[in-house]
Amino acid sequence: MRIEKVLKCILLDDELPSLRFLKMLCEQIPGLEVVRAFNDPCVLLNEYKSLDFDFCILDIEMPQLNGFDIAKELENYPIVFSTAYKQYASDAFDINAVDYMRKPISLSRLQQAILKVEQVINNRQTDISPFAQFNTNKGKAILYFNQIDYIQIAEVDSRDKTVFLSGGSSILLKNISFDKLLSILPEQDFIRISKKEIIALKIVKFFSADIITSNILDEQESAILFSLGESYKKSFLEKFV
């Protein structure tokens, strides 16, 4: 089996032997990269936003939070469940899980699940529209992705986001999270660079370890600069490899 495009995943299983075995199987599949392997669901929830990954493989029965709790939080990512129990299968497919693997997992069974994930991701990419509809302070609005330069948390209410458009205008999106925005925006064209900002890759002119110099000019005809957050450096740099 060979994956056409490198797929990046995160793993979650509270039992370390199962987690190590799953990671070992994943490492035997060319083109599949394990970004992080978690054995604590709470740690995953605290850290996943800073990670660059395509899908996740989750255990179901765990203390504190179960796999369905995590899947709800990661609703924009393809989910594969890995569990010793069969009684959760119908619940898994009710939330559109890509696959449901019963332990002990074989390499061939894992490969089958990964092929399904690859198909889902490929279908999403071919179905991308050049625009999306948003709720704004002026009512419903259609924004074309190629109009967007960057997005920031709004000054008055952090639940809102200010979109800065090519040409110097801006519009306020009402009550939308960065995670939701990233699930809508074309992944190949946009990147989150800090807790407060998403930028379009088209505006990047130069970058260093901490600063991104854009090709957008401010009112004084100086290039607008953006700070590159420590947690977002890895995913940003990978866009330019």
Side-chain angles (χ1 to χ4, degrees):
M1 173 186 176
R2 178 73 196 187
I3 299 170
E4 293 182 7
K5 171 186 174 292
V6 173
L7 291 180
K8 300 178 180 181
C9 69
I10 59 175
L11 312 178
L12 173 63
D13 195 316
D14 65 311
E15 297 180 352
L16 283 176
S18 293
L19 184 63
R20 294 191 187 104
F21 182 71
L22 178 59
K23 185 173 184 290
M24 180 195 70
L25 290 180
C26 289
E27 290 170 346
Q28 295 180 49
I29 299 178
L32 180 61
E33 176 186 340
V34 176
V35 176
R36 282 286 303 275
F38 295 93
N39 73 322
D40 186 328
C42 295
V43 175
L44 183 152
L45 291 180
N46 287 333
E47 298 186 8
Y48 83 90
K49 291 181 181 179
S50 65
L51 302 176
D52 178 22
F53 65 99
D54 301 303
F55 72 101
C56 40
I57 303 177
L58 307 177
D59 190 14
I60 293 181
E61 286 205 351
M62 295 175 289
Q64 296 180 288
L65 298 168
N66 63 39
F68 294 111
D69 296 323
I70 304 301
K72 183 178 181 180
E73 177 72 20
L74 302 176
E75 61 181 350
N76 297 317
Y77 294 93
I79 301 291
V80 174
F81 285 112
S82 168
T83 178
Y85 305 94
K86 63 181 180 180
Q87 65 263 34
Y88 301 115
S90 61
D91 293 330
F93 292 114
D94 282 344
I95 64 168
N96 295 319
V98 175
D99 208 345
Y100 186 92
M101 301 186 298
R102 291 277 308 282
K103 299 176 181 178
I105 300 165
S106 66
L107 179 59
S108 61
R109 182 64 184 87
L110 177 61
Q111 289 174 326
Q112 181 183 350
I114 301 307
L115 286 174
K116 290 181 181 180
V117 170
E118 185 178 28
Q119 184 177 15
V120 167
I121 291 174
N122 288 341
N123 288 342
R124 285 185 180 181
Q125 292 173 343
T126 56
D127 290 341
I128 290 176
S129 171
F131 62 85
Q133 180 176 278
F134 297 94
N135 293 320
T136 77
N137 58 323
K138 299 178 181 179
K140 297 281 187 181
I142 290 177
L143 293 183
Y144 282 82
F145 300 135
N146 61 8
Q147 295 177 306
I148 300 172
D149 284 343
Y150 61 101
I151 304 169
Q152 292 180 336
I153 289 179
E155 293 183 1
V156 175
D157 189 337
S158 62
R159 293 172 298 179
D160 300 336
K161 307 296 180 288
T162 303
V163 179
F164 295 85
L165 304 171
S166 301
S169 62
S170 63
I171 192 166
L172 186 70
L173 306 187
K174 298 297 292 180
N175 195 24
I176 188 168
S177 68
F178 274 145
D179 285 344
K180 182 63 177 177
L181 278 169
L182 289 171
S183 75
I184 296 171
L185 298 170
E187 181 184 357
Q188 69 273 19
D189 297 328
F190 292 87
I191 184 73
R192 188 169 182 179
I193 59 168
S194 68
K195 292 181 178 180
K196 297 183 178 182
E197 291 171 317
I198 294 172
I199 66 170
L201 295 180
K202 68 180 181 180
I203 73 169
V204 176
K205 188 173 184 180
F206 308 112
F207 60 87
S208 64
D210 303 299
I211 299 295
I212 298 169
T213 303
S214 75
N215 52 29
I216 307 170
L217 302 181
D218 60 20
E219 294 178 355
Q220 286 73 44
E221 297 296 307
S222 299
I224 295 178
L225 305 180
F226 297 87
S227 296
L228 180 57
E230 186 67 32
S231 299
Y232 302 90
K233 287 181 181 179
K234 183 176 183 291
S235 57
F236 176 81
L237 295 173
E238 286 175 349
K239 292 287 186 182
F240 296 93
V241 172

